[in-house]
Amino acid sequence: MGKIAPEIIETHWDAIIVGTGIGGAVAGYDWSQAGKKVLFIEKGPGATVGSDSLPIWKDSILNTQTNKTFHPFLGEGIGGSSRLYGMVMERLESCDLIDNGGAWPLPLNEWERFFVGIENLFQVHFDIVPGGFSPLIESLKSKGVNPLPLKLASRICDKCEYCQSRICEKSCKVDAWSGPLSVALKCTNTKLLTNCKVQTILHNKYLVTGVKIDSDGEVQTLSAKNIFLAAGALSTPFLLNRSSSIFYPQGLGVRSGQLGRNLMRHFVDLYVLKWPQSQGLSAYKSLGINDFYVDPKDGNKLGIFQSFGSLPLPHYVISELKEQLPILKFIPGSKYLLNYFIKSIFSNPIMASIIEDPPEFENGLDLVSENQLRLNYKISTKGRRRIDRSREIGQQIFSPFLKRILPEAENNTRLAHVCGTCRMGTDPETSVVDLLGRLHEMENLFITDSSVFPSSTGKNPSLIIAANALRIAESARSKNNDDRLQRLVGSHYRRH
């Protein structure tokens, strides 16, 4: 019966999870621990790869601003982008949960148990800031700024290398794979398919019934009582769009016209710092500054500053530069010059801004072909003000150690924190999913990745993705939801 085990094809799964990043791993973990039959489906590879060969996106994106294609630095494989993340997991604040072009459910106090549950699952703790940062810390405090250690998802180990933008080889990093997914797969009721693409979601008028998959050329249909989409904010909307039928000729989730719209990405600038004995501190992902999350000058939201950590390996950076500046390919010795330039700059500590990007309907994605997306994105007036104000603050607080600013906020290819393309809300006319992450027109189809974000916030998205996935997964398997589904299924069959 082909390469896929017969038991996987024949099982009627309680839940099929599409994507094994943080949102998918947490949702599947929750259901597996409740004794449910869970199947994870991952488009990318499953085999362990070395740190010099990263499992990153193969498909290209056309940036309409430059009319050039690029490959976003996103994970594709077991654990998704979390295999490459910097481990920072930080909680939202009360101001994040106020209606801001969308609606986050629950006040901050009701998120507490989800935050705690995820922090325990990912072993989140405050990092220890090395003594070498003392000159910077003392300078910041003299200006009334209060830097704090970052909270990282990692196991305590000797000589942690932080491993941002690379695979962790010491098992320090707790990501979607080494955390919830590995635990889930220890259950006999849980299975995993890798190198397997979900072609379409199968459904009738009221319910999803399964998925059609392609696993190395073997096409099969798998059935499930519930489906969780967690393929990421770039891929999830187009899986819905591809899932057309006689009931929904244009695909699922398209009724509101919001599918693929409201794309947000964080604005990130890099501040290269230098002081005596600062060499050797560049990799540390240790320090955060939250004083300007809400601008004390005018009360508007901005974001944070934090240690940037390490770059991807030089050959990935050089490849990206040559992709953006094709002329470099024709300059003799450019590889060696670029390598020297990168190492000289990034041998010193770098602080990065993470600035909230407001939702704009005009910003979004279109599907050009099966393997290429088109990005239509323009920084809004509000976003422009936030970038300018953040740079003003950064130059003030990081002097006299600031050596240069690497302005990346305007770079549309920076999509590591992309979100918002299947926005969450109460009104089916202005959102794709409801506040429980459920597609408005399907009772048993849920989305647990960052595509449901109604606002980008000014924080690293890892914790809120995980906490929201846990909240949605718990709700989806609750007794009330089961009763509602039974009534709906019953009425559906009575009508037919």
Side-chain angles (χ1 to χ4, degrees):
M1 196 181 287
K3 301 173 185 177
I4 303 174
E7 63 174 306
I8 289 179
I9 299 171
E10 295 165 2
T11 298
H12 185 46
W13 299 95
D14 291 315
I16 286 178
I17 316 290
V18 182
T20 60
I22 286 178
V26 168
Y29 162 84
D30 178 74
W31 276 52
S32 70
Q33 300 309 290
K36 304 292 187 180
K37 292 179 290 186
V38 177
L39 175 65
F40 290 97
I41 301 179
E42 171 55 52
K43 177 184 176 182
T48 302
V49 296
S51 60
D52 61 342
S53 179
L54 303 180
I56 58 177
W57 256 51
K58 298 179 180 64
D59 296 341
S60 65
I61 295 179
L62 175 65
N63 180 4
T64 58
Q65 194 176 61
T66 62
N67 203 34
K68 296 179 181 178
T69 59
F70 68 97
H71 292 81
F73 194 78
L74 297 170
E76 184 174 274
I78 286 182
S81 290
S82 74
R83 298 295 300 282
L84 310 176
Y85 80 151
M87 303 178 288
V88 177
M89 282 197 162
E90 43 195 359
R91 298 185 179 193
L92 296 191
E93 303 189 19
S94 56
C95 62
D96 289 316
L97 304 174
I98 299 171
D99 191 355
N100 179 24
W104 283 97
L106 308 182
L108 187 61
N109 65 311
E110 294 186 38
W111 282 97
E112 175 73 15
R113 74 178 184 89
F114 298 112
F115 290 155
V116 170
I118 294 303
E119 287 168 347
N120 290 335
L121 182 61
F122 281 82
Q123 302 182 45
V124 176
H125 62 89
F126 284 106
D127 194 35
I128 298 173
V129 181
F133 279 96
S134 294
L136 174 62
I137 293 172
E138 291 170 6
S139 175
L140 290 168
K141 287 183 175 179
S142 72
K143 298 170 185 176
V145 180
N146 299 290
L148 296 169
L150 291 174
K151 296 180 77 173
L152 304 183
S154 68
R155 303 176 181 91
I156 305 296
C157 66
D158 293 333
K159 296 182 180 180
C160 177
E161 297 178 2
Y162 293 85
C163 297
Q164 174 174 279
S165 305
R166 62 192 69 193
I167 301 295
C168 178
E169 296 184 324
K170 294 184 177 180
S171 301
C172 310
K173 183 189 295 187
V174 181
D175 54 35
W177 164 240
S178 63
L181 186 54
S182 292
V183 176
L185 290 173
K186 292 178 181 178
C187 300
T188 57
N189 55 315
T190 303
K191 302 297 180 185
L192 168 68
L193 286 177
T194 57
N195 293 303
C196 180
K197 182 177 181 179
V198 175
Q199 294 182 327
T200 188
I201 300 164
L202 306 174
H203 58 273
N204 54 44
K205 190 172 182 180
Y206 303 97
L207 301 168
V208 292
T209 58
V211 294
K212 182 180 178 182
I213 62 169
D214 182 344
S215 178
D216 291 329
E218 179 183 356
V219 178
Q220 292 287 352
T221 297
L222 307 177
S223 67
K225 299 176 185 176
N226 299 273
I227 294 175
F228 292 83
L229 300 185
L234 297 180
S235 296
T236 289
F238 291 104
L239 176 53
L240 290 170
N241 194 239
R242 289 199 305 269
S243 300
S244 59
S245 69
I246 58 172
F247 302 107
Y248 302 97
Q250 304 303 315
L252 294 172
V254 302
R255 178 177 61 178
S256 65
Q258 300 288 334
L259 189 69
R261 314 314 305 167
N262 304 293
L263 181 146
M264 296 167 280
R265 61 177 185 87
H266 281 145
F267 305 127
V268 177
D269 288 325
L270 305 182
Y271 296 79
V272 182
L273 310 179
K274 187 175 183 179
W275 60 86
Q277 291 81 48
S278 64
Q279 287 278 330
L281 297 176
S282 60
Y284 284 92
K285 192 82 174 175
S286 301
L287 205 62
I289 299 171
N290 205 50
D291 300 60
F292 307 98
Y293 198 67
V294 175
D295 191 350
K297 182 177 180 180
D298 56 20
N300 291 321
K301 286 181 66 181
L302 281 177
I304 59 177
F305 296 93
Q306 64 179 219
S307 299
F308 179 68
S310 57
L311 272 181
L313 295 171
H315 63 272
Y316 284 98
V317 180
I318 292 171
S319 177
E320 179 185 305
L321 288 171
K322 288 185 175 181
E323 191 174 62
Q324 294 181 12
L325 300 170
I327 193 172
L328 292 174
K329 299 176 183 178
F330 304 101
I331 298 177
S334 62
K335 176 180 177 180
Y336 302 100
L337 291 172
L338 288 171
N339 193 42
Y340 174 79
F341 175 73
I342 292 165
K343 287 185 176 180
S344 63
I345 289 181
F346 291 93
S347 61
N348 292 297
I350 293 175
M351 296 295 288
S353 61
I354 296 182
I355 309 165
E356 180 169 0
D357 180 13
E360 297 287 342
F361 176 81
E362 292 76 14
N363 289 336
L365 299 162
D366 298 309
L367 190 63
V368 178
S369 65
E370 182 67 20
N371 296 315
Q372 187 176 94
L373 298 174
R374 178 169 55 213
L375 173 66
N376 300 295
Y377 180 88
K378 182 180 180 181
I379 295 174
S380 67
T381 301
K382 185 184 292 186
R384 181 73 263 167
R385 286 198 301 266
R386 289 175 177 174
I387 293 168
D388 292 343
R389 176 60 178 149
S390 177
R391 287 174 179 168
E392 178 186 336
I393 292 170
Q395 291 184 65
Q396 291 172 354
I397 66 174
F398 293 130
S399 65
F401 302 135
L402 180 60
K403 296 306 173 186
R404 68 174 68 204
I405 299 176
L406 301 177
E408 290 291 308
E410 292 86 357
N411 189 341
N412 281 0
T413 69
R414 301 294 178 241
L415 295 178
H417 294 175
V418 65
C419 60
T421 54
C422 298
R423 71 182 321 193
M424 175 168 49
T426 57
D427 185 355
E429 299 304 317
T430 58
S431 58
V432 177
V433 300
D434 66 16
L435 298 187
L436 296 177
R438 181 176 51 227
L439 199 72
H440 284 301
E441 60 263 45
M442 288 284 148
E443 282 286 322
N444 58 341
L445 177 58
F446 306 87
I447 302 179
T448 59
D449 57 33
S450 66
S451 65
V452 302
F453 283 18
S455 65
S456 65
T457 82
K459 299 289 184 79
N460 291 78
S462 302
L463 180 60
I464 188 59
I465 292 173
N468 194 47
L470 181 59
R471 182 185 68 86
I472 292 170
E474 282 190 7
S475 173
R477 63 175 175 80
S478 69
K479 185 178 185 301
N480 287 340
N481 190 58
D482 290 343
D483 289 344
R484 183 170 58 253
L485 271 176
Q486 288 172 12
R487 290 196 301 272
L488 185 66
V489 174
S491 64
H492 169 68
Y493 285 120
R494 284 194 297 272
R495 283 194 294 270
H496 294 78

